[in-house]
Amino acid sequence: MSKILIIEDDNDIAMIERDYLEIDHFTVEIASDGLSGVDQALRGNFDLILLDLMLPEMDGFLVCRKLREQLDIPILMVTARQEDIDKIRGLGLGADDYIEKPFSPGVLVARVKANLAQYQRLKNSCKEMSDKITIGPICIYTKSHRVFVRGQEKELKNKEYELLLFLVMNADVVYSRETLYDRIWGYNALGENATVAVHINRLREKIEENPADPRYIQTVWGVGYRFKV
């Protein structure tokens, strides 16, 4: 049974999220501010975290950054903010995905299940892969989730690593944003193209010599992305 931590200062929203997750047999705990959320998350052995951005004591952005330094479990931002800059900032700090308020409880539960399932699939697939995958200057150590480019280690967030591994394992195949979202995040895209675009851009910053003119992670205009061998 998966264990979920909800970090949310609006008690009514937190209760709704908890009730629907418990109906689906998740174990749920709630933290009502950023400081206690970080403390519970680091002590509680959780499988996934639902993180509100507007929190007292410590905002969700800082909470996300602190948690990502020590945890590799899925972190889903839950936000009422509509600005793309907030989504980009949160994803850049290591959040795996975001859900906008207001949302239907059914969508929330589905997104939680999809992220958990995809996380488990990645862990299982890495056990079956070669310990080391090398394409050009990029070397991926699948057991330790470490990535080196031209001999220099690059720090990749969860979904950055998953996206790179998927593209490398399917080199020269072009994937649309919607397909990548479905494959990496495990859920129908529903217009969440910003998530994929942010992760592609951050990968280019870490992998490419010239991110503005990428050699490996290429855009195929009007179609999607590919990893070019």
PDB file of all heavy atoms in Angstrom, residues 123-150:
ATOM      1  N   LYS A 123      12.150   1.920 -12.004  1.00  0.00           N
ATOM      2  CA  LYS A 123      13.009   1.173 -11.095  1.00  0.00           C
ATOM      3  C   LYS A 123      13.172  -0.268 -11.554  1.00  0.00           C
ATOM      4  O   LYS A 123      14.271  -0.825 -11.523  1.00  0.00           O
ATOM      5  CB  LYS A 123      12.430   1.219  -9.675  1.00  0.00           C
ATOM      6  CG  LYS A 123      12.515   2.583  -9.021  1.00  0.00           C
ATOM      7  CD  LYS A 123      11.824   2.619  -7.681  1.00  0.00           C
ATOM      8  CE  LYS A 123      12.451   1.687  -6.674  1.00  0.00           C
ATOM      9  NZ  LYS A 123      11.806   1.779  -5.346  1.00  0.00           N
ATOM     10  N   ASN A 124      12.074  -0.864 -12.001  1.00  0.00           N
ATOM     11  CA  ASN A 124      12.140  -2.260 -12.447  1.00  0.00           C
ATOM     12  C   ASN A 124      12.942  -2.391 -13.739  1.00  0.00           C
ATOM     13  O   ASN A 124      13.716  -3.341 -13.907  1.00  0.00           O
ATOM     14  CB  ASN A 124      10.730  -2.812 -12.652  1.00  0.00           C
ATOM     15  CG  ASN A 124       9.967  -2.966 -11.351  1.00  0.00           C
ATOM     16  OD1 ASN A 124      10.558  -3.035 -10.275  1.00  0.00           O
ATOM     17  ND2 ASN A 124       8.654  -2.994 -11.435  1.00  0.00           N
ATOM     18  N   SER A 125      12.739  -1.449 -14.665  1.00  0.00           N
ATOM     19  CA  SER A 125      13.442  -1.544 -15.942  1.00  0.00           C
ATOM     20  C   SER A 125      14.937  -1.342 -15.774  1.00  0.00           C
ATOM     21  O   SER A 125      15.742  -1.969 -16.471  1.00  0.00           O
ATOM     22  CB  SER A 125      12.888  -0.520 -16.932  1.00  0.00           C
ATOM     23  OG  SER A 125      13.146   0.803 -16.500  1.00  0.00           O
ATOM     24  N   CYS A 126      15.336  -0.494 -14.841  1.00  0.00           N
ATOM     25  CA  CYS A 126      16.758  -0.268 -14.611  1.00  0.00           C
ATOM     26  C   CYS A 126      17.451  -1.530 -14.093  1.00  0.00           C
ATOM     27  O   CYS A 126      18.628  -1.756 -14.358  1.00  0.00           O
ATOM     28  CB  CYS A 126      16.973   0.891 -13.635  1.00  0.00           C
ATOM     29  SG  CYS A 126      16.681   2.519 -14.373  1.00  0.00           S
ATOM     30  N   LYS A 127      16.727  -2.357 -13.358  1.00  0.00           N
ATOM     31  CA  LYS A 127      17.298  -3.604 -12.872  1.00  0.00           C
ATOM     32  C   LYS A 127      17.631  -4.547 -14.021  1.00  0.00           C
ATOM     33  O   LYS A 127      18.527  -5.390 -13.916  1.00  0.00           O
ATOM     34  CB  LYS A 127      16.316  -4.287 -11.909  1.00  0.00           C
ATOM     35  CG  LYS A 127      16.080  -3.521 -10.612  1.00  0.00           C
ATOM     36  CD  LYS A 127      15.052  -4.226  -9.750  1.00  0.00           C
ATOM     37  CE  LYS A 127      14.756  -3.438  -8.474  1.00  0.00           C
ATOM     38  NZ  LYS A 127      13.706  -4.097  -7.656  1.00  0.00           N
ATOM     39  N   GLU A 128      16.870  -4.428 -15.122  1.00  0.00           N
ATOM     40  CA  GLU A 128      17.051  -5.321 -16.253  1.00  0.00           C
ATOM     41  C   GLU A 128      18.017  -4.764 -17.293  1.00  0.00           C
ATOM     42  O   GLU A 128      18.418  -5.469 -18.207  1.00  0.00           O
ATOM     43  CB  GLU A 128      15.690  -5.589 -16.910  1.00  0.00           C
ATOM     44  CG  GLU A 128      14.680  -6.209 -15.958  1.00  0.00           C
ATOM     45  CD  GLU A 128      13.275  -6.225 -16.523  1.00  0.00           C
ATOM     46  OE1 GLU A 128      13.105  -5.744 -17.661  1.00  0.00           O
ATOM     47  OE2 GLU A 128      12.361  -6.702 -15.842  1.00  0.00           O
ATOM     48  N   MET A 129      18.386  -3.492 -17.197  1.00  0.00           N
ATOM     49  CA  MET A 129      19.259  -2.871 -18.175  1.00  0.00           C
ATOM     50  C   MET A 129      20.715  -3.152 -17.863  1.00  0.00           C
ATOM     51  O   MET A 129      21.087  -3.555 -16.761  1.00  0.00           O
ATOM     52  CB  MET A 129      19.047  -1.349 -18.181  1.00  0.00           C
ATOM     53  CG  MET A 129      17.740  -0.889 -18.759  1.00  0.00           C
ATOM     54  SD  MET A 129      17.654   0.914 -18.670  1.00  0.00           S
ATOM     55  CE  MET A 129      16.001   1.179 -19.291  1.00  0.00           C
ATOM     56  N   SER A 130      21.536  -2.878 -18.867  1.00  0.00           N
ATOM     57  CA  SER A 130      22.968  -2.863 -18.657  1.00  0.00           C
ATOM     58  C   SER A 130      23.292  -1.792 -17.624  1.00  0.00           C
ATOM     59  O   SER A 130      22.619  -0.765 -17.538  1.00  0.00           O
ATOM     60  CB  SER A 130      23.683  -2.547 -19.971  1.00  0.00           C
ATOM     61  OG  SER A 130      25.042  -2.268 -19.747  1.00  0.00           O
ATOM     62  N   ASP A 131      24.329  -2.032 -16.840  1.00  0.00           N
ATOM     63  CA  ASP A 131      24.713  -1.058 -15.811  1.00  0.00           C
ATOM     64  C   ASP A 131      25.146   0.264 -16.420  1.00  0.00           C
ATOM     65  O   ASP A 131      25.062   1.305 -15.783  1.00  0.00           O
ATOM     66  CB  ASP A 131      25.859  -1.607 -14.964  1.00  0.00           C
ATOM     67  CG  ASP A 131      25.422  -2.740 -14.055  1.00  0.00           C
ATOM     68  OD1 ASP A 131      24.217  -3.025 -14.005  1.00  0.00           O
ATOM     69  OD2 ASP A 131      26.291  -3.334 -13.398  1.00  0.00           O
ATOM     70  N   LYS A 132      25.610   0.216 -17.676  1.00  0.00           N
ATOM     71  CA  LYS A 132      26.182   1.404 -18.299  1.00  0.00           C
ATOM     72  C   LYS A 132      25.715   1.512 -19.746  1.00  0.00           C
ATOM     73  O   LYS A 132      25.816   0.568 -20.515  1.00  0.00           O
ATOM     74  CB  LYS A 132      27.714   1.327 -18.247  1.00  0.00           C
ATOM     75  CG  LYS A 132      28.429   2.527 -18.841  1.00  0.00           C
ATOM     76  CD  LYS A 132      29.931   2.335 -18.717  1.00  0.00           C
ATOM     77  CE  LYS A 132      30.714   3.476 -19.360  1.00  0.00           C
ATOM     78  NZ  LYS A 132      32.171   3.271 -19.254  1.00  0.00           N
ATOM     79  N   ILE A 133      25.159   2.690 -20.086  1.00  0.00           N
ATOM     80  CA  ILE A 133      24.725   2.961 -21.453  1.00  0.00           C
ATOM     81  C   ILE A 133      25.507   4.168 -21.943  1.00  0.00           C
ATOM     82  O   ILE A 133      25.512   5.221 -21.304  1.00  0.00           O
ATOM     83  CB  ILE A 133      23.213   3.260 -21.518  1.00  0.00           C
ATOM     84  CG1 ILE A 133      22.411   2.061 -21.000  1.00  0.00           C
ATOM     85  CG2 ILE A 133      22.790   3.604 -22.940  1.00  0.00           C
ATOM     86  CD1 ILE A 133      20.937   2.353 -20.823  1.00  0.00           C
ATOM     87  N   THR A 134      26.174   4.008 -23.081  1.00  0.00           N
ATOM     88  CA  THR A 134      26.990   5.092 -23.624  1.00  0.00           C
ATOM     89  C   THR A 134      26.580   5.395 -25.058  1.00  0.00           C
ATOM     90  O   THR A 134      26.513   4.494 -25.902  1.00  0.00           O
ATOM     91  CB  THR A 134      28.483   4.726 -23.595  1.00  0.00           C
ATOM     92  OG1 THR A 134      28.878   4.424 -22.248  1.00  0.00           O
ATOM     93  CG2 THR A 134      29.330   5.884 -24.111  1.00  0.00           C
ATOM     94  N   ILE A 135      26.273   6.664 -25.312  1.00  0.00           N
ATOM     95  CA  ILE A 135      26.038   7.151 -26.676  1.00  0.00           C
ATOM     96  C   ILE A 135      26.807   8.454 -26.817  1.00  0.00           C
ATOM     97  O   ILE A 135      26.528   9.431 -26.108  1.00  0.00           O
ATOM     98  CB  ILE A 135      24.540   7.376 -26.970  1.00  0.00           C
ATOM     99  CG1 ILE A 135      23.780   6.053 -26.973  1.00  0.00           C
ATOM    100  CG2 ILE A 135      24.368   8.070 -28.305  1.00  0.00           C
ATOM    101  CD1 ILE A 135      22.329   6.169 -27.373  1.00  0.00           C
ATOM    102  N   GLY A 136      27.782   8.468 -27.730  1.00  0.00           N
ATOM    103  CA  GLY A 136      28.597   9.658 -27.896  1.00  0.00           C
ATOM    104  C   GLY A 136      29.269  10.026 -26.585  1.00  0.00           C
ATOM    105  O   GLY A 136      29.854   9.163 -25.911  1.00  0.00           O
ATOM    106  N   PRO A 137      29.178  11.291 -26.181  1.00  0.00           N
ATOM    107  CA  PRO A 137      29.841  11.719 -24.945  1.00  0.00           C
ATOM    108  C   PRO A 137      29.007  11.461 -23.687  1.00  0.00           C
ATOM    109  O   PRO A 137      29.424  11.817 -22.589  1.00  0.00           O
ATOM    110  CB  PRO A 137      30.014  13.220 -25.161  1.00  0.00           C
ATOM    111  CG  PRO A 137      28.804  13.598 -25.961  1.00  0.00           C
ATOM    112  CD  PRO A 137      28.543  12.421 -26.884  1.00  0.00           C
ATOM    113  N   ILE A 138      27.826  10.853 -23.854  1.00  0.00           N
ATOM    114  CA  ILE A 138      26.896  10.685 -22.738  1.00  0.00           C
ATOM    115  C   ILE A 138      26.989   9.268 -22.187  1.00  0.00           C
ATOM    116  O   ILE A 138      26.886   8.291 -22.930  1.00  0.00           O
ATOM    117  CB  ILE A 138      25.457  10.984 -23.180  1.00  0.00           C
ATOM    118  CG1 ILE A 138      25.353  12.417 -23.701  1.00  0.00           C
ATOM    119  CG2 ILE A 138      24.477  10.756 -22.030  1.00  0.00           C
ATOM    120  CD1 ILE A 138      24.054  12.724 -24.402  1.00  0.00           C
ATOM    121  N   CYS A 139      27.197   9.162 -20.897  1.00  0.00           N
ATOM    122  CA  CYS A 139      27.297   7.874 -20.227  1.00  0.00           C
ATOM    123  C   CYS A 139      26.281   7.835 -19.082  1.00  0.00           C
ATOM    124  O   CYS A 139      26.316   8.688 -18.192  1.00  0.00           O
ATOM    125  CB  CYS A 139      28.707   7.659 -19.691  1.00  0.00           C
ATOM    126  SG  CYS A 139      28.965   6.035 -18.942  1.00  0.00           S
ATOM    127  N   ILE A 140      25.382   6.854 -19.122  1.00  0.00           N
ATOM    128  CA  ILE A 140      24.334   6.720 -18.111  1.00  0.00           C
ATOM    129  C   ILE A 140      24.585   5.442 -17.309  1.00  0.00           C
ATOM    130  O   ILE A 140      24.677   4.349 -17.878  1.00  0.00           O
ATOM    131  CB  ILE A 140      22.941   6.649 -18.758  1.00  0.00           C
ATOM    132  CG1 ILE A 140      22.682   7.893 -19.621  1.00  0.00           C
ATOM    133  CG2 ILE A 140      21.854   6.505 -17.688  1.00  0.00           C
ATOM    134  CD1 ILE A 140      21.413   7.809 -20.449  1.00  0.00           C
ATOM    135  N   TYR A 141      24.704   5.585 -16.000  1.00  0.00           N
ATOM    136  CA  TYR A 141      24.834   4.439 -15.103  1.00  0.00           C
ATOM    137  C   TYR A 141      23.452   4.168 -14.516  1.00  0.00           C
ATOM    138  O   TYR A 141      22.976   4.908 -13.651  1.00  0.00           O
ATOM    139  CB  TYR A 141      25.860   4.718 -14.008  1.00  0.00           C
ATOM    140  CG  TYR A 141      27.275   4.813 -14.536  1.00  0.00           C
ATOM    141  CD1 TYR A 141      27.780   6.030 -14.995  1.00  0.00           C
ATOM    142  CD2 TYR A 141      28.092   3.685 -14.607  1.00  0.00           C
ATOM    143  CE1 TYR A 141      29.068   6.124 -15.500  1.00  0.00           C
ATOM    144  CE2 TYR A 141      29.391   3.771 -15.101  1.00  0.00           C
ATOM    145  CZ  TYR A 141      29.872   4.995 -15.547  1.00  0.00           C
ATOM    146  OH  TYR A 141      31.144   5.076 -16.052  1.00  0.00           O
ATOM    147  N   THR A 142      22.806   3.098 -14.997  1.00  0.00           N
ATOM    148  CA  THR A 142      21.397   2.891 -14.682  1.00  0.00           C
ATOM    149  C   THR A 142      21.158   2.448 -13.247  1.00  0.00           C
ATOM    150  O   THR A 142      20.083   2.686 -12.699  1.00  0.00           O
ATOM    151  CB  THR A 142      20.785   1.862 -15.642  1.00  0.00           C
ATOM    152  OG1 THR A 142      21.452   0.599 -15.486  1.00  0.00           O
ATOM    153  CG2 THR A 142      20.909   2.324 -17.077  1.00  0.00           C
ATOM    154  N   LYS A 143      22.127   1.788 -12.634  1.00  0.00           N
ATOM    155  CA  LYS A 143      21.912   1.321 -11.255  1.00  0.00           C
ATOM    156  C   LYS A 143      21.953   2.475 -10.258  1.00  0.00           C
ATOM    157  O   LYS A 143      21.212   2.492  -9.284  1.00  0.00           O
ATOM    158  CB  LYS A 143      22.967   0.270 -10.879  1.00  0.00           C
ATOM    159  CG  LYS A 143      23.040  -0.932 -11.811  1.00  0.00           C
ATOM    160  CD  LYS A 143      21.732  -1.695 -11.874  1.00  0.00           C
ATOM    161  CE  LYS A 143      21.872  -2.925 -12.772  1.00  0.00           C
ATOM    162  NZ  LYS A 143      20.589  -3.633 -12.941  1.00  0.00           N
ATOM    163  N   SER A 144      22.842   3.417 -10.529  1.00  0.00           N
ATOM    164  CA  SER A 144      23.015   4.531  -9.590  1.00  0.00           C
ATOM    165  C   SER A 144      22.328   5.812 -10.051  1.00  0.00           C
ATOM    166  O   SER A 144      22.340   6.811  -9.332  1.00  0.00           O
ATOM    167  CB  SER A 144      24.512   4.815  -9.393  1.00  0.00           C
ATOM    168  OG  SER A 144      25.128   5.165 -10.627  1.00  0.00           O
ATOM    169  N   HIS A 145      21.730   5.790 -11.266  1.00  0.00           N
ATOM    170  CA  HIS A 145      21.077   6.974 -11.841  1.00  0.00           C
ATOM    171  C   HIS A 145      22.041   8.148 -11.972  1.00  0.00           C
ATOM    172  O   HIS A 145      21.657   9.312 -11.828  1.00  0.00           O
ATOM    173  CB  HIS A 145      19.875   7.398 -10.993  1.00  0.00           C
ATOM    174  CG  HIS A 145      18.696   6.495 -11.143  1.00  0.00           C
ATOM    175  ND1 HIS A 145      17.407   6.910 -10.925  1.00  0.00           N
ATOM    176  CD2 HIS A 145      18.604   5.186 -11.476  1.00  0.00           C
ATOM    177  CE1 HIS A 145      16.573   5.898 -11.114  1.00  0.00           C
ATOM    178  NE2 HIS A 145      17.286   4.841 -11.455  1.00  0.00           N
ATOM    179  N   ARG A 146      23.293   7.846 -12.298  1.00  0.00           N
ATOM    180  CA  ARG A 146      24.284   8.905 -12.499  1.00  0.00           C
ATOM    181  C   ARG A 146      24.521   9.093 -13.994  1.00  0.00           C
ATOM    182  O   ARG A 146      24.540   8.132 -14.758  1.00  0.00           O
ATOM    183  CB  ARG A 146      25.591   8.556 -11.789  1.00  0.00           C
ATOM    184  CG  ARG A 146      25.430   8.409 -10.290  1.00  0.00           C
ATOM    185  CD  ARG A 146      26.718   7.962  -9.630  1.00  0.00           C
ATOM    186  NE  ARG A 146      27.697   9.048  -9.588  1.00  0.00           N
ATOM    187  CZ  ARG A 146      28.965   8.857  -9.179  1.00  0.00           C
ATOM    188  NH1 ARG A 146      29.383   7.644  -8.830  1.00  0.00           N
ATOM    189  NH2 ARG A 146      29.799   9.880  -9.138  1.00  0.00           N
ATOM    190  N   VAL A 147      24.698  10.350 -14.375  1.00  0.00           N
ATOM    191  CA  VAL A 147      24.887  10.686 -15.789  1.00  0.00           C
ATOM    192  C   VAL A 147      26.154  11.530 -15.927  1.00  0.00           C
ATOM    193  O   VAL A 147      26.342  12.505 -15.192  1.00  0.00           O
ATOM    194  CB  VAL A 147      23.674  11.460 -16.346  1.00  0.00           C
ATOM    195  CG1 VAL A 147      23.934  11.916 -17.783  1.00  0.00           C
ATOM    196  CG2 VAL A 147      22.415  10.591 -16.281  1.00  0.00           C
ATOM    197  N   PHE A 148      27.003  11.128 -16.876  1.00  0.00           N
ATOM    198  CA  PHE A 148      28.224  11.866 -17.155  1.00  0.00           C
ATOM    199  C   PHE A 148      28.198  12.324 -18.617  1.00  0.00           C
ATOM    200  O   PHE A 148      27.815  11.557 -19.503  1.00  0.00           O
ATOM    201  CB  PHE A 148      29.458  10.997 -16.919  1.00  0.00           C
ATOM    202  CG  PHE A 148      29.705  10.682 -15.463  1.00  0.00           C
ATOM    203  CD1 PHE A 148      28.977   9.682 -14.824  1.00  0.00           C
ATOM    204  CD2 PHE A 148      30.649  11.389 -14.734  1.00  0.00           C
ATOM    205  CE1 PHE A 148      29.194   9.390 -13.490  1.00  0.00           C
ATOM    206  CE2 PHE A 148      30.871  11.095 -13.390  1.00  0.00           C
ATOM    207  CZ  PHE A 148      30.145  10.102 -12.769  1.00  0.00           C
ATOM    208  N   VAL A 149      28.621  13.546 -18.842  1.00  0.00           N
ATOM    209  CA  VAL A 149      28.724  14.094 -20.197  1.00  0.00           C
ATOM    210  C   VAL A 149      30.138  14.624 -20.374  1.00  0.00           C
ATOM    211  O   VAL A 149      30.577  15.497 -19.616  1.00  0.00           O
ATOM    212  CB  VAL A 149      27.701  15.218 -20.431  1.00  0.00           C
ATOM    213  CG1 VAL A 149      27.827  15.752 -21.853  1.00  0.00           C
ATOM    214  CG2 VAL A 149      26.283  14.711 -20.179  1.00  0.00           C
ATOM    215  N   ARG A 150      30.842  14.044 -21.337  1.00  0.00           N
ATOM    216  CA  ARG A 150      32.246  14.391 -21.576  1.00  0.00           C
ATOM    217  C   ARG A 150      33.072  14.270 -20.304  1.00  0.00           C
ATOM    218  O   ARG A 150      33.939  15.107 -20.000  1.00  0.00           O
ATOM    219  CB  ARG A 150      32.359  15.799 -22.176  1.00  0.00           C
ATOM    220  CG  ARG A 150      31.571  15.949 -23.480  1.00  0.00           C
ATOM    221  CD  ARG A 150      31.506  17.377 -23.980  1.00  0.00           C
ATOM    222  NE  ARG A 150      30.506  17.476 -25.033  1.00  0.00           N
ATOM    223  CZ  ARG A 150      29.215  17.729 -24.808  1.00  0.00           C
ATOM    224  NH1 ARG A 150      28.795  17.934 -23.566  1.00  0.00           N
ATOM    225  NH2 ARG A 150      28.360  17.780 -25.810  1.00  0.00           N
TER     226      ARG A 150
END
